[in-house]
Amino acid sequence: MAEVAVKSRGRRARRSAGRTAEPGQNEHLRVPYISRSIPTYDILSEESLAQIEATAERIMSEIGLEFRDDPETVALFRAAGAEVTDLTASSWNLKFAPGMIREILKTAPARFTQHARNPANSVEIGGDAMVLAPSYGSPFVMDLDNGRRYGTIADFRNFVKLAQMSPFLHHSGGTICEPTDIAVNKRHLDMVYAHMRYSDRAFLGSITAPERAEDSIEMCRILFGADFVDQNCVVMGNFNTTSPLVIDGVTSQGIRAYAAAGQGSIHLPFLLGGAVAPLTMAGALAQCLAETMVSCAITQLERPGAPTILGSFISSMSLRSGSPTFGTPEPALASLAMGQLARRLNLPLRCAGNFSTSKLPDAQAMQQAMMSMMSAVQCGANYILHSAGFLDGLLSMSYEKFILDTDLCGALHAYLNGFEVNDDTLGFDALAEGGPGQHLFSTQHTLRHYQTAYWDSAVDDHQPWETWDEKGGVDAASRANARWKAQLAAYEAPAMDEATDEALQAFITRKKAEVPDAWY
């Protein structure tokens, strides 16, 4: 019933809300998450999909995956029937009979809710639902005024605020940038608190050490209440395998921590073609499927029914230099296929985003971003991290590209709505009212629909060239620069219960006092 209610609010908003004079409002497109109204694009035949799945099974059964520094996870797989070979005192090769991992994954939910502290912003992940979140993990930030520099906690808070201000992101994300001015072993506390305090949307917790995962979950118990957290997903962790075919102990222990608490997790191989994966897309897909399935299976062995998300991050490479390349066509094709494979497993999918290797928020940045993002949209991805801010091959988080990307996300809301065909939308009365040769500006059909017929960009310039030139010839990046500053100036923090805020801050103070700073 809650799901139906959320969708109904979204439909009513699309019907009734209009625009103000400020560009980019698009009130009719605001929803807590997207419910796609257009079909996915299926690129591969049944035969091709079966070949990829069979190769993934061969990888799992004949080559196996290496697990390191986590005998508890190995014991869980051994009890489930895996063939375990000791490599060293702290590493093991695990092989899985064909069909074994697929059977374990049957207890994972096809769709689940991640609750936000503002219930109106809770998101659905899976099925026809799509959730957009900011970029993740950049050590540097950049803007047109100050250039490229190491990220700070002030930058982190700024990006949380900008995400909260955007109606076209649904999720606060996770490590939006690394706050390098805080000790490595303590910065997770400030990052999780920033999401809790400056946003009222769902968010990701820490995954860089098992104890940091536990801290993230404990802070959620303070925010939501322990009983609510035990019965509902309120936080997720974003975990990477160590490709090719390795899952280290920090990762597997963190996965088990989230799953044991009933919380969600994303399982993402980072496959760089020609380096840690075959450079052919079919081979990369088979490896990706094997790694993400085994990683997801850990959650079901720890707590059957724990929310889990398949992941795909397949990247091409410049074979001249060895550098990763993003926003290229081959990985976009792989995303389309990964959508089909995820649907066959009946599990949610995370893949692609507004990827780019450009060093500036320029034409290259947006061309590459559009190539990558459209593959995620068309493949049916359910959770799209890196929806805003990604530059420099993920090394830099850009204020200006964040604005350009969130504007694109607004356009994608309209794109994914599709369009209706009925007596009203066919517009016969618009043509009949004036007849041949008459403009349609004042027809009743135009007056009924003009506020909601088209998506309205917040940053695009549609003026005649002469007007644009007379006003200074401002380019898109400069317009985005002015907009992020205006957004931060207008930001207001969502209300939080004072006692809850004090309890969170007390927890952070206590945890920081328990250990000395570590800067690596």
Side-chain angles (χ1 to χ4, degrees):
M1 291 297 291
E3 175 188 331
V4 173
V6 168
K7 289 187 177 180
S8 296
R9 284 198 299 273
R11 285 195 292 266
R12 283 198 299 271
R14 287 195 290 269
R15 285 198 301 266
S16 61
R19 293 187 179 130
T20 68
E22 178 72 18
Q25 296 299 298
N26 297 295
E27 295 289 342
H28 62 297
L29 296 175
R30 290 182 182 232
V31 288
Y33 57 89
I34 296 171
S35 296
R36 63 184 303 126
S37 297
I38 64 173
T40 56
Y41 186 84
D42 292 345
I43 187 174
L44 292 183
S45 67
E46 171 68 28
E47 179 183 3
S48 295
L49 292 169
Q51 286 181 291
I52 291 171
E53 289 172 334
T55 302
E57 294 286 0
R58 285 193 66 199
I59 292 169
M60 291 186 281
S61 64
E62 297 179 26
I63 302 173
L65 273 73
E66 183 175 327
F67 283 74
R68 298 174 181 170
D69 302 315
D70 184 7
E72 289 84 358
T73 294
V74 174
L76 288 172
F77 274 118
R78 190 195 303 269
E83 177 187 329
V84 179
T85 302
D86 295 347
L87 301 176
T88 68
S90 59
S91 64
W92 306 263
N93 177 271
L94 274 63
K95 295 178 180 176
F96 312 95
M100 174 185 164
I101 297 299
R102 190 174 294 266
E103 186 66 26
I104 292 172
L105 290 174
K106 285 183 178 178
T107 57
R111 180 173 177 141
F112 63 92
T113 302
Q114 186 185 356
H115 293 268
R117 72 178 178 95
N118 178 357
N121 289 333
S122 295
V123 294
E124 293 283 315
I125 299 177
D128 67 352
M130 180 178 292
V131 173
L132 306 181
S135 193
Y136 181 108
S138 300
F140 299 100
V141 299
M142 63 169 67
D143 62 66
L144 296 185
D145 303 296
N146 299 302
R148 186 177 188 255
R149 59 198 183 278
Y150 281 107
T152 66
I153 191 61
D155 291 306
F156 189 96
R157 291 168 183 154
N158 281 345
F159 282 116
V160 172
K161 294 172 182 178
L162 288 171
Q164 173 75 5
M165 292 285 282
S166 172
F168 303 120
L169 296 176
H170 314 109
H171 199 278
S172 195
T175 305
I176 301 184
C177 67
E178 283 286 349
T180 59
D181 53 340
I182 300 175
V184 171
N185 62 333
K186 299 178 181 180
R187 65 181 59 158
H188 67 287
L189 299 165
D190 297 89
M191 290 191 286
V192 171
Y193 177 74
H195 284 299
M196 291 177 166
R197 184 65 192 90
Y198 302 113
S199 174
D200 60 3
R201 292 175 172 168
F203 58 90
L204 301 176
S206 179
I207 51 86
T208 51
E211 61 272 18
R212 297 169 200 165
E214 296 285 3
D215 285 345
S216 302
I217 296 164
E218 191 58 37
M219 290 176 72
C220 288
R221 293 188 177 111
I222 295 171
L223 181 65
F224 289 92
D227 290 341
F228 189 85
V229 171
D230 185 58
Q231 298 300 316
N232 298 278
C233 176
V234 301
V235 68
M236 298 195 299
N238 182 67
F239 294 94
N240 288 106
T241 57
T242 306
S243 302
L245 306 177
V246 174
I247 298 179
D248 65 63
V250 169
T251 297
S252 57
Q253 290 176 70
I255 291 168
R256 289 194 292 109
Y258 277 90
Q263 302 309 300
S265 53
I266 303 161
H267 303 260
L268 194 75
F270 186 168
L271 302 187
L272 182 59
V276 297
L279 50 73
T280 49
M281 289 304 104
L285 280 163
Q287 179 183 338
C288 179
L289 188 61
E291 290 189 18
T292 188
M293 285 176 65
V294 171
S295 187
C296 283
I298 298 170
T299 66
Q300 302 310 295
L301 294 177
E302 180 66 38
R303 181 167 169 169
T308 189
I309 301 175
L310 293 169
S312 172
F313 197 106
I314 295 174
S315 174
S316 52
M317 183 174 69
S318 170
L319 297 177
R320 294 186 180 88
S321 67
S323 298
T325 51
F326 292 101
T328 52
E330 294 83 6
L333 292 170
S335 290
L336 295 176
M338 194 65 199
Q340 291 179 269
L341 293 164
R343 285 189 291 279
R344 287 159 70 90
L345 280 168
N346 200 29
L347 288 175
L349 172 67
R350 180 215 143 176
C351 77
N354 273 314
F355 295 169
S356 177
T357 53
S358 181
K359 312 308 178 287
L360 293 171
D362 56 11
Q364 176 186 335
M366 298 313 294
Q367 177 268 321
Q368 291 176 332
M370 193 69 171
M371 171 69 77
S372 180
M373 191 66 166
M374 285 303 292
S375 73
V377 167
Q378 299 286 34
C379 85
N382 305 109
Y383 183 82
I384 305 179
L385 202 60
H386 304 309
S387 293
F390 188 120
L391 265 190
D392 188 23
L394 190 53
L395 290 176
S396 299
M397 187 73 172
S398 163
Y399 280 83
E400 287 79 23
K401 188 162 183 288
F402 192 96
I403 295 299
L404 296 171
D405 285 341
T406 53
D407 200 53
L408 171 59
C409 288
L412 293 175
H413 279 65
Y415 182 78
L416 287 157
N417 267 347
F419 63 88
E420 296 182 30
V421 178
N422 55 42
D423 287 346
D424 181 40
T425 63
L426 285 167
F428 181 86
D429 59 317
L431 294 169
E433 186 173 326
Q438 300 300 309
H439 71 73
L440 276 65
F441 288 121
S442 61
T443 65
Q444 291 303 305
H445 186 270
T446 298
L447 294 174
R448 283 198 306 275
H449 292 286
Y450 80 94
Q451 290 185 313
T452 58
Y454 304 131
W455 163 73
D456 183 33
S457 171
V459 293
D460 285 356
D461 187 293
H462 301 295
Q463 302 173 97
W465 191 94
E466 292 79 8
T467 306
W468 170 79
D469 185 49
E470 289 170 3
K471 291 185 176 181
V474 181
D475 63 19
S478 298
R479 294 193 296 272
N481 177 269
R483 185 167 177 82
W484 71 255
K485 293 172 182 174
Q487 291 284 87
L488 288 179
Y491 168 83
E492 294 182 7
M496 175 181 277
D497 176 73
E498 187 174 340
T500 301
D501 194 14
E502 290 175 355
L504 286 168
Q505 293 191 54
F507 177 85
I508 292 169
T509 300
R510 176 174 63 82
K511 295 297 292 187
K512 286 187 174 183
E514 289 176 353
V515 291
D517 289 354
W519 290 96
Y520 56 89

